Amino acid sequence: MEGNYDCIVVGAGIEGSGAAFQLARMGVSTVLLEQFPLPHSRGSSSGPSRIIRRAYTHKFYAEMMDEAYDWWHRIAAETDTALYKKCGMLTISDDDHEIQGTKKHGGFKHAVRDTYTAIEDNYKGVYDPDAGTLMADKCLRCLQCADGASERVPYWREKRPGDLPLQPVSCDVRLPTISSGNYLLVIYQADEYPRSRSELGRHIGNVVDPDNRDEAAQHIIPAQLAVLTDYVSKYIPGLDAADGPAILETCMYTVTPDEVCIIDRHPQHPNVIFAAGFSGTGFKLAPVLGKVLAEMVLGCKTSYDTTPFSMRRFQAKSRL
C-alpha cells in the first residue's frame, strides 16, 4: 500500500465504512483498511438485510434516526441502488416503561393492543410505520465505493484483553422468540428467502471467541429451541412450528454491559478515535455515527452529544 493519508480507518465493517465515507465527503484524504478480502462474512456487517426503525427506548438513538433515514435515501439516490424497503414494525413488550419511552422518543401517536389478542393482557405494542429493512450487503458496498479508498491488509493479531468492556456474542437468528424483558422479537418477510418464510431474530446468545465463531453454530441448545418453538405455536399460529425452524443461522456482534455503543478518544493518544460495541443496533445508524466520528477526527463540534457513548461511563473511579 502506497500513499500519504490524513486519516486511516481500521476496519471496513459498516461503521468503519460509514466513517471513511463521511471523511471522504468532507475532503479528508482517507484510507480504509480491512484484514479480510472484501466482501466477507467474518464480522457483523454482512448479510442480505438489517432492520431500520425509529422505535428506540434510548432518546439519543431515536434523535439520530431522522438523519439516518435521510442519509440512506441520499446514498440510494446517488448510487442508483435500492437500499430500503418499508414494511412497518410492531414492538411488543410487557415493560410499560419501555413501551412508553419508545412511543415518546419515536414520536408515535398511539400504542397498539386490540389487534394482538393472543398476547397476554400485560403486553402492549407500539407500531413504527416507517420501519423496514436495509439491504445490508448493498448498503455496505455503497459506502465503500461512494468515496475514499478501500485496501486489504494482512491479518493482524495482537490482543490486550480487558481494555474495553466488550463481550462478543453469537446470537441465534431466524428463530421464534419471546418478547419480554431482555428479549427482542423481530418478525418480517425476509426477501432472501422464499415468500413462504418469515424471519425471526432473537437478541440473546452465547459468549464466543470471534476467531472461532464457526463453532457457535454447533451449540444450539435443544431445550432453548423447544421453548421458542412452543412460543411460536402459542402466539403466532400462522407459522408452522411443528418441525422447528426451516433455516437456522447465527450472527455475531459485540455487546457492552448497557448495550449502548462506545465512541471515544484514546486517553493517551488523542489522534486515535475508536468506536465499538454496537450491541446489534449500529447498522442503521452507520452514516450518522460515521459523521460523528469524522467530526471528532476533524476536531469539530459533533452533531450529537457523545456523552452517552463515552468509555468513561464504565470507569466510575477513573480520572480520564
Side-chain angles (χ1 to χ4, degrees):
M1 182 179 67
E2 298 180 356
N4 296 315
Y5 302 94
D6 295 322
C7 184
I8 299 173
V9 179
V10 181
I14 194 65
E15 307 302 341
S17 297
F21 168 81
Q22 295 289 10
L23 284 163
R25 290 181 78 97
M26 294 176 184
V28 180
S29 176
T30 304
V31 62
L32 176 61
L33 303 182
E34 173 55 43
Q35 60 179 318
F36 299 116
L38 297 172
H40 67 79
S41 59
R42 306 305 301 172
S44 302
S45 300
S46 64
S49 61
R50 292 293 189 281
I51 291 174
I52 184 169
R53 58 189 168 98
R54 285 191 170 89
Y56 272 107
T57 55
H58 293 299
K59 182 180 179 180
F60 48 81
Y61 279 149
E63 290 176 340
M64 292 179 174
M65 283 311 304
D66 282 342
E67 186 176 0
Y69 273 95
D70 288 343
W71 272 113
W72 288 121
H73 286 309
R74 187 185 313 181
I75 295 167
E78 291 178 357
T79 60
D80 193 26
T81 306
L83 299 178
Y84 161 63
K85 180 178 180 180
K86 178 180 175 180
C87 65
M89 186 184 81
L90 178 66
T91 298
I92 303 172
S93 178
D94 61 351
D95 186 335
D96 186 65
H97 177 74
E98 178 181 351
I99 289 295
Q100 294 305 320
T102 300
K103 178 182 173 183
K104 177 182 178 180
H105 301 324
F108 306 121
K109 294 182 180 180
H110 55 273
V112 176
R113 177 65 182 87
D114 295 338
T115 306
Y116 295 87
T117 55
I119 303 297
E120 283 90 346
D121 290 338
N122 60 322
Y123 280 77
K124 295 180 180 179
V126 172
Y127 182 67
D128 182 346
D130 293 323
T133 56
L134 292 172
M135 308 301 112
D137 286 337
K138 293 179 180 178
C139 290
L140 183 61
R141 196 60 188 155
C142 283
L143 289 181
Q144 293 170 348
C145 296
D147 288 291
S150 178
E151 296 283 348
R152 175 184 178 237
V153 297
Y155 182 83
W156 61 85
R157 184 179 181 88
E158 181 178 354
K159 295 183 178 180
R160 293 180 57 188
D163 283 355
L164 295 175
L166 302 176
Q167 191 81 284
V169 172
S170 174
C171 293
D172 308 331
V173 301
R174 283 91 186 182
L175 288 175
T177 67
I178 299 173
S179 174
S180 172
N182 293 326
Y183 296 87
L184 173 66
L185 172 64
V186 178
I187 311 174
Y188 60 98
Q189 194 69 49
D191 290 340
E192 62 265 36
Y193 300 125
R195 292 192 60 81
S196 60
R197 312 291 187 198
S198 292
E199 180 170 340
L200 297 91
R202 189 185 191 197
H203 180 57
I204 192 170
N206 301 316
V207 177
V208 299
D209 180 348
D211 291 329
N212 296 297
R213 60 173 293 175
D214 293 334
E215 296 180 6
Q218 303 174 17
H219 299 291
I220 305 300
I221 303 175
Q224 181 186 62
L225 185 57
V227 170
L228 301 178
T229 301
D230 179 67
Y231 182 83
V232 168
S233 300
K234 184 177 181 181
Y235 295 118
I236 316 176
L239 295 182
D240 183 6
D243 297 325
I247 300 171
L248 189 62
E249 297 179 352
T250 60
C251 62
M252 185 177 71
Y253 44 82
T254 309
V255 181
T256 60
D258 58 5
E259 297 193 6
V260 174
C261 66
I262 299 172
I263 298 177
D264 214 332
R265 193 179 298 272
H266 195 290
Q268 278 79 46
H269 306 282
N271 64 326
V272 176
I273 295 166
F274 54 87
F278 291 92
S279 304
T281 195
F283 197 101
K284 65 188 76 63
L285 290 162
V288 179
L289 295 177
K291 188 179 80 166
V292 170
L293 289 166
E295 291 166 342
M296 293 175 68
V297 167
L298 296 176
C300 304
K301 178 178 174 59
T302 56
S303 301
Y304 300 89
D305 181 16
T306 60
T307 303
F309 312 126
S310 173
M311 183 175 65
R312 292 168 178 81
R313 71 185 191 271
F314 301 114
Q315 301 173 324
K317 299 181 180 180
S318 173
R319 297 182 180 180
L320 296 177

